[in-house]
Amino acid sequence: SLPPLIQRVDFIGGSVSCRAGKRTRRRARFSKRLKMDASTSDDSIKVIVRVRPPDQHITGDVENSLCMQVHDARTIVMHTKPEHRVFTFDHVAGMETTQEEIFNYVGRPTIETCMCGYNGTVFAYGQTGSGKTFTMIGPPDESDSFSHDLRGVIPRSFEYLFSLINREKQKHGDLVEFLCKSSFLEIYNEQVFDLLDTASSGLHLRESMKKGVYVDGLSEHIVASAKEAYQVLTKGWNNRRVASTSMNRESSRSHAVFTVTVESKKKEFRDSVAKIRTSLLNLVDLAGSERQRDAQTEGMRLKEAGNINRSLSALGNVILALVDIAHGKQRHVHYRDSRLTFLLRDSLGGNAKTFLVANVHPNGKCFGETLSTVNFARRAKLIKNKAIVNEDTSGNVLQLQAEIKKLKAALENARVSVAPEHTFEDARSHLGSLTSDGSKSVRELKELLSNNITARSKSESDKLALAERMNQLEEMLSKKEKFLQSTKMILRLREAHISNLEKARSE
């Protein structure tokens, strides 16, 4: 049971006073039911809180005491004054939780959704020294974290992704093709740098109707196995900016975003129209928030900390605005206040399945930052994303028209065909010719009727499937025709503009 000092219970999105009285208890049960329903929604950002073990070198009564405790697999208790507070999340990982268990909570479902054509994102958020990099990568002192038992979410994601790809290839053979491309960037002092190309200077964020927000000039490397993907990760990770502070010996001074683009092309049979799915897998290790008096930073480290805190503050403001929108309020979301929020706009209230790992430190010295992280995670839990399958149908206009014609013919044949071999008339005539062995004839009649119903049901389902497929192809054909028309119009306008420039030049 909860400690007796707990007089207030903070559920996701609000608090309910646990006083005596039937009305208050009814409100508490109703609020809890609403919040639990919100937590199980597939569109909500999934939040996992991970508690790191306390530092062994910290001494003193205040610093060595714990500011929180894990109550169960979904609940933590913050030792606030004058009342303790309880927070509920999708999952709470205690100090004894293994790296494999963390991957099963966040990495495995994200990879599976990416294989289905959805965008997926995993964030690691928390104060400096709370274990974000350990969660995402693994032990920093291990030269080969890829094979280490304590390897993090990113290496395990590579392994699971390519195991699923190999399984699909074995199942479908030449009818399915996959292409994986990886990129690695960091946001340092509000500038974007390519970690795979050290010669590149600060890159710019662009936006287009087709690609959304992207980094102009960011290099991409094709990877065909988990080993190749990890080689790309290692190359970029060695270029990431880290520094020593009093809170962390290797403190990340930038936000790191590793992106894997998974493209799949699948055909139902040879020479048919192919379905193309494209998904983005974003694996994000955020720089940790820190207080100057705790981290004892100065000079360049102090400037870095200021930029980190400003970008995390912009992230918090975006979270607050999205929470208000989830509650029905009209708010403008300031994605452009930070390059981090602008780059990962789809992961926050957009087209993506998002998991947030909130890393917290249990020491009493870190109480302020731990409570801030928990409140941030509580608000993020209320955000609703709108993930869709990123699917397109490949083929030129003539191929699509031929496929539609073929489906129309098959649909027409299904409508006019007689489904069963034996119709109701056959059954009626058979009933009229009953012999003395009446029981046997009745059994035969029942069998005929059962076969008739099954065949008709199958025929109806086939017709519905054909009609749905035909509607999808007609919609795709219409989009391609509109795209061709707009492209031709743009070309005509450009040719006219070039002609006018040539005339003006000749004059």
Side-chain angles (χ1 to χ4, degrees), residues 275 391 393 404 466-478:
K275 292 182 179 179
E391 186 177 75
T393 302
I404 291 173
L466 286 171
E468 183 180 0
R469 175 62 176 162
M470 188 173 64
N471 291 335
Q472 291 176 352
L473 288 174
E474 286 179 344
E475 182 181 358
M476 184 57 59
L477 177 62
S478 176

Side-chain angles (χ1 to χ4, degrees), residues 476-492:
M476 184 57 59
L477 177 62
S478 176
K479 291 181 179 179
K480 284 187 175 291
E481 289 177 344
K482 291 180 180 179
F483 176 75
L484 289 175
Q485 292 176 0
S486 63
T487 303
K488 290 178 180 178
M489 183 175 296
I490 292 173
L491 290 175
R492 285 197 297 267

Side-chain angles (χ1 to χ4, degrees), residues 164-178 265-268 270:
L164 293 182
I165 289 176
N166 293 332
R167 189 174 68 183
E168 287 293 311
K169 289 181 177 179
Q170 292 176 359
K171 182 178 180 180
H172 299 285
D174 297 337
L175 298 180
V176 63
E177 299 177 9
F178 285 93
K265 181 186 292 186
K266 184 178 180 181
K267 297 182 179 180
E268 296 182 2
R270 296 183 184 276

